[in-house]
Amino acid sequence: MTDSRAASVASAPPERSPWPALWALVIGFFMILVDTTIVSVANPAIKAALDPSTNNLDNVVWVTSAYLLTYAVPLPVTGRLGDRFGPKNIYLVGLAIFTLASLACGLATSLETLIIARAVQGLGAALMTPQTMAVITRTFPPQRRGAAMGLWGATAGVATLVGPLAGGLLVDGLGWEWIFFINIPVGIIGFIAALVLVPQLPTSTHKFDLLGVALSAVGLFLIVFGLQEGEHFDWAAWIWVMVVAGVLVMGLFVWTQARTTSEPLVPLDLFRDRNFSIANLAIAAVGFTVTSMALPQMFYLQLARGLTPTESALLLIPLAILSGALAPSAGKLLDRTDPRFLLVPGLLLVGGSLVLYAVLIFGDAPIWAFLIPSALMGVGNAGMWGPLATTATRNLPPRQAGAGAGIYNTTRTVGSVVGSASIAAFMQARLEVNLPGAGDAAESFGSGTLPAPVVEGFSTAMGQALLLPIAVICLGLIAVLFMRRPSVIRPHGSPRDAAPAAAQGAPASAGE
């Protein structure tokens, strides 16, 4: 047992503790997550300031969709860039781009300018995100990786609180521009911390599949644009052609990845690991759900119930506290148990909390009652984010750490992109059904509490919109039921199919 443990520890590339480097990278990851949640709170204020003359909610949603689109498309490439040039170098470049783009977002004077700046910001986030997971995969042995991913999950929970609260306070006190200006000092601190604490890891040579990059970019853009603008153009024939064309292009992309004789953008052999494949399906559902649920909730609380951005954000305190407090323990537990023991209850709680949200909206419940589903979702989040990431990356060999992290984050972000686009169309469709002939009253959808005659219809539409993320998180729950518990823990750096090495890793795990 002693020899196997020593061999596992010796295979980790850095000699020093990996925790300081992870803490430094978490600063940037935290900023990315905070920025997303801040924008969800500020959407009504952004619409009132930059798009006051339209009654269509799709326009302001592009502030989120543009960011997620440019975030999703480059992720497989940026993961490979980290392998090729070092995760530290690529992370620092991405952080610099993200911080400068945040300044441009705050200075934007039109919705179009803000959307362009958000797109650049998404590119910076795409460079940063895979490097965090790649560093975890390459510096923590598998039997301690759950604890590291627990910190990753706890970061998401804390960001869930800080983002909306900071967004509410900044929007109410200084204006929506400051939700972006706040990134500048955080970005500078994060840059210095990463520069000092993150080690230079060994690099490996990769070829870059330019055809794959082009096909994935075109296919994803066609799908997202079609879903986003479908309601605006009354689902004209050319919209459906665009969506179908996007699906076909993505099919061609997968075909080229399977047939290429060079190094593919997406190594499909990674999907031979059942848990990696299922974790990617589940994280797509999670990304869709988390992104799509925020919009109807915030529009309902601020426009139908008259809450300020700060007041609506305060309802998320149980979610953030419970998620952040429980995530590290969940990560440590995952190192010793079947991932389904955490993931099934976690996803059930998230889905159940959304059902309760919808019930409370339909029933015009008192505001304090919304703290209950917030608490349930916090517990569910602790059993969802970290465990999914740990399960997906547990068996990744070091050479493919960047590629695997890129694929996982791409899948998550694609789910978020489709969720953002789909919820915009679904919300607009439910508004059309529940507010027929609302006309000029709908023009106040970004400028404070709605007129009394349209509140009931608007609330019903927002409650119905939550049915979409509920359905999708149920699909994620079904997917994780097909996971399997790793029979042994493979020593870090050993071949994926090396049974003897796996057998050596079992005692080390048991002795942790």
Side-chain angles (χ1 to χ4, degrees), residues 56-114:
N56 194 309
L57 299 180
D58 293 347
N59 296 335
V60 73
V61 173
W62 266 107
V63 174
T64 299
S65 293
Y67 170 83
L68 291 174
L69 184 60
T70 57
Y71 185 10
V73 172
L75 278 171
V77 179
T78 59
R80 292 296 182 86
L81 287 173
D83 289 340
R84 176 65 182 86
F85 299 104
K88 175 179 181 177
N89 297 331
I90 300 303
Y91 176 87
L92 291 174
V93 171
L95 182 54
I97 292 174
F98 188 94
T99 305
L100 291 173
S102 297
L103 176 62
C105 288
L107 296 175
T109 57
S110 69
L111 189 62
E112 293 77 14
T113 303
L114 177 59

Side-chain angles (χ1 to χ4, degrees), residues 274-478:
R274 181 199 290 186
N275 282 1
F276 180 82
S277 299
I278 293 176
N280 273 271
L281 289 174
I283 199 61
V286 168
F288 184 109
T289 301
V290 171
T291 302
S292 59
M293 72 181 187
L295 280 173
Q297 287 175 352
M298 288 301 165
F299 273 103
Y300 167 77
L301 291 171
Q302 294 181 36
L303 303 186
R305 301 302 296 269
L307 272 63
T308 66
T310 301
E311 291 169 342
S312 60
L314 287 171
L315 294 176
L316 299 177
I317 286 180
L319 188 163
I321 291 178
L322 289 172
S323 177
L326 296 176
S329 299
K332 293 177 182 178
L333 179 60
L334 187 68
D335 287 334
R336 299 171 174 83
T337 190
D338 189 322
R340 289 171 294 188
F341 290 167
L342 291 172
L343 288 169
V344 171
L347 292 170
L348 272 174
L349 283 171
V350 171
S353 67
L354 288 176
V355 171
L356 184 54
Y357 268 119
V359 170
L360 295 176
I361 290 174
F362 291 142
D364 195 28
I367 292 298
W368 65 263
F370 288 88
L371 294 170
I372 300 173
S374 176
L376 293 177
M377 186 167 290
V379 178
N381 268 276
M384 182 174 72
W385 287 104
L388 275 177
T390 304
T391 303
T393 59
R394 184 183 296 259
N395 291 327
L396 291 180
R399 186 178 184 276
Q400 292 185 313
I407 292 169
Y408 181 82
N409 283 288
T410 299
T411 306
R412 173 179 62 84
T413 311
V414 167
S416 298
V417 170
V418 177
S420 175
S422 300
I423 197 65
F426 197 56
M427 285 169 60
Q428 196 68 30
R430 302 323 302 163
L431 285 171
E432 294 288 340
V433 170
N434 289 281
L435 289 174
D440 295 338
E443 293 180 4
S444 64
F445 281 0
S447 55
T449 307
L450 291 172
V454 301
V455 166
E456 182 178 355
F458 182 86
S459 300
T460 301
M462 295 301 102
Q464 292 173 351
L466 286 175
L467 298 178
L468 181 60
I470 290 170
V472 173
I473 200 66
C474 287
L475 295 178
L477 174 61
I478 293 171

Side-chain angles (χ1 to χ4, degrees), residues 209-293:
D209 181 10
L210 297 180
L211 176 61
V213 173
L215 288 175
S216 62
V218 171
L220 188 58
F221 175 80
L222 291 173
I223 293 171
V224 172
F225 185 87
L227 290 172
Q228 181 75 49
E229 296 298 306
E231 188 68 31
H232 180 67
F233 291 101
D234 295 324
W235 296 102
W238 66 269
I239 288 286
W240 289 111
V241 169
M242 178 176 285
V243 173
V244 172
V247 173
L248 293 176
V249 171
M250 292 304 293
L252 179 61
F253 165 72
V254 174
W255 182 81
T256 60
Q257 297 301 289
R259 302 274 297 181
T260 182
T261 57
S262 182
E263 188 172 9
L265 179 65
V266 175
L268 298 180
D269 63 302
L270 290 176
F271 290 94
R272 294 174 184 171
D273 184 314
R274 181 199 290 186
N275 282 1
F276 180 82
S277 299
I278 293 176
N280 273 271
L281 289 174
I283 199 61
V286 168
F288 184 109
T289 301
V290 171
T291 302
S292 59
M293 72 181 187

Side-chain angles (χ1 to χ4, degrees), residues 5-66:
R5 182 182 294 274
S8 176
V9 174
S11 64
E15 295 181 359
R16 58 183 178 180
S17 170
W19 284 101
L22 178 57
W23 278 106
L25 293 174
V26 157
I27 295 175
F29 180 58
F30 176 80
M31 185 170 66
I32 292 172
L33 294 175
V34 165
D35 201 69
T36 302
T37 53
I38 277 181
V39 172
S40 69
V41 173
N43 268 328
I46 292 173
K47 177 168 177 56
L50 301 181
D51 188 39
S53 60
T54 71
N55 59 8
N56 194 309
L57 299 180
D58 293 347
N59 296 335
V60 73
V61 173
W62 266 107
V63 174
T64 299
S65 293

